[in-house]
Amino acid sequence: MKRICKSLFIAGLMACASVGAFAQGKLTLDDINIRDPFIVPVAEEGVYYMYSSSSVKENGAVYGGVMAYKSKDLKHWDAPVRVFDVPRDNYLTGVVWAPEVHKYNGKYYLFATLNSDIKWKGSWKGHPVFTHRSTQIFWSDKPEGPFQAFENKLPHTPIGEMCLDGTLWVENGVPYMIYCHEWVEVMDGEMKIVRLKEDLSEPVGQPIRLFCASAASWSTGSGNEDPKLRTYVTDGCFLYRTKADKLLMIWSSFKNGSYALGIAESATGKVLGPWKQQENLIFEADGGHGMIFRSFEGKLYIVLHSPNSPGGAERAKLFELEDLGHTLQLKK
């Protein structure tokens, strides 16, 4: 999702083009241009699904969508199939960023950051339009979709705020969405949380700020010499509970101009925190926006994209991960 002049529409067209080129063959991760990869193991099928943004142009307008690559061994991937198209009467209909799919209560839920060219105040079905970037949740009975909107077709992040990268966390049976409040609006990017209804159809109550990007010493900001003009990015949050029952959140920002992935830890072991930032980074070689999953063999993996630029060079990088109880690190 990195907002530094990346064209995910172009990436989506490249993904669509790859369908024809590789329909009869197998892809490797080196063949697939992808940002913010998200992999879901579906044990009953023995298949891994990797979700990717993919837009289409229709009557001069760009509409967002999502495609899924399937693999049985994490090495060889089938050509992508389309699993989601933004409803044409949705609140926002533009390019999708950072699609995530979570299984919850027997259904599959797609968390998608939607963009739009709308940059002015107006209205949509009686709702004010202030924003052009929000996270919205869609649902399906199957991991390959098709995913559909809830009845109101509204974002799950606050209307009037620039938000992205929503992810699911369930604690004591209560579902929450953790998401990022954009630095382009608040300068010091925020990590926020909001409770969701049991069916994930709507948020409940008001969001709460968990921390700001500048809370991490490694997040060095934009490099502007004037502290009042320095900006700090929050990206790609994903939560994981360790074997020692520590609740960790991996998230991305920039360290000395390079995209990087660090770790926050809940001091209470609860999602509401308070959260403190660990000094060690999981990855700092121009890559990030990661997520964690276990293979069918029980191995712990992290997948992220690297490099972060230039556009078109991004690839999914898969690493085995070590759970040290108190923190995480790439397996040596």
Side-chain angles (χ1 to χ4, degrees), residues 45-61:
E45 298 181 14
V47 170
Y48 300 96
Y49 287 77
M50 182 171 69
Y51 296 91
S52 173
S53 303
S54 177
S55 301
V56 296
K57 199 166 185 177
E58 189 176 293
N59 298 322

Side-chain angles (χ1 to χ4, degrees), residues 161 179-183 186 188-192 209 211-213 232 234:
E161 292 185 3
Y179 66 93
C180 302
H181 189 184
E182 273 275 49
W183 66 274
V186 295
D188 192 358
E190 299 174 328
M191 200 67 72
K192 287 188 170 182
R209 186 175 68 187
F211 59 84
C212 292
Y232 300 85
T234 44

Side-chain angles (χ1 to χ4, degrees), residues 53-299:
S53 303
S54 177
S55 301
V56 296
K57 199 166 185 177
E58 189 176 293
N59 298 322
V62 177
Y63 293 97
V66 176
M67 303 189 83
Y69 298 83
K70 296 164 70 172
S71 173
K72 293 187 176 182
D73 60 6
L74 295 173
K75 296 178 181 178
H76 304 95
W77 297 83
D78 292 333
V81 294
R82 199 158 188 84
V83 299
F84 171 68
D85 282 289
V86 177
R88 300 306 188 250
D89 62 345
N90 204 58
Y91 178 79
L92 294 178
T93 58
V95 175
V96 171
W97 286 356
E100 297 191 7
V101 173
H102 298 266
K103 188 175 184 181
Y104 169 74
N105 282 353
K107 294 185 183 296
Y108 291 86
Y109 292 88
L110 169 67
F111 286 59
T113 296
L114 294 173
N115 293 263
S116 173
D117 290 333
I118 297 172
K119 297 183 176 70
W120 59 86
K121 293 183 180 181
S123 64
W124 176 90
K125 295 185 179 180
H127 296 278
V129 176
F130 297 106
T131 184
H132 61 278
R133 186 167 304 141
S134 300
T135 293
Q136 186 173 340
I137 303 172
F138 304 84
W139 68 274
S140 175
D141 292 320
K142 301 179 293 185
E144 67 268 26
F147 291 90
Q148 55 188 299
F150 290 100
E151 186 175 356
N152 62 24
K153 295 185 172 64
L154 286 169
H156 286 62
T157 51
I159 293 176
E161 292 185 3
M162 291 277 282
C163 302
L164 73 168
D165 293 1
T167 194
L168 177 67
W169 182 252
V170 181
E171 189 168 284
N172 297 324
V174 178
Y176 297 90
M177 181 171 68
I178 297 87
Y179 66 93
C180 302
H181 189 184
E182 273 275 49
W183 66 274
V184 296
E185 184 172 52
V186 295
M187 295 188 71
D188 192 358
E190 299 174 328
M191 200 67 72
K192 287 188 170 182
I193 184 171
V194 66
R195 183 171 175 171
L196 300 172
K197 284 188 174 181
E198 187 176 354
D199 65 355
L200 310 192
S201 61
E202 294 179 357
V204 177
Q206 296 300 309
I208 298 170
R209 186 175 68 187
L210 300 178
F211 59 84
C212 292
S214 63
S217 60
W218 60 268
S219 177
T220 55
S222 67
N224 196 303
E225 293 183 2
D226 185 347
K228 294 181 181 179
L229 299 177
R230 189 178 293 270
T231 57
Y232 300 85
V233 169
T234 44
D235 264 352
C237 45
F238 186 87
L239 279 71
Y240 171 81
R241 192 170 294 280
T242 73
K243 61 185 181 182
D245 204 32
K246 299 283 187 183
L247 181 59
L248 305 181
M249 181 194 304
I250 62 173
W251 65 284
S252 295
S253 191
F254 286 84
K255 178 182 178 181
N256 299 326
S258 181
Y259 200 46
L261 194 155
I263 305 171
E265 176 187 343
S266 171
T268 60
K270 304 294 184 183
V271 72
L272 293 178
W275 290 84
K276 57 184 180 180
Q277 305 297 321
Q278 295 190 357
E279 292 297 323
N280 61 301
L281 294 173
I282 295 180
F283 195 88
E284 55 184 301
D286 194 29
H289 197 118
M291 61 84 59
I292 298 167
F293 68 96
R294 285 197 181 274
S295 71
F296 299 132
E297 296 75 32
K299 292 182 179 180

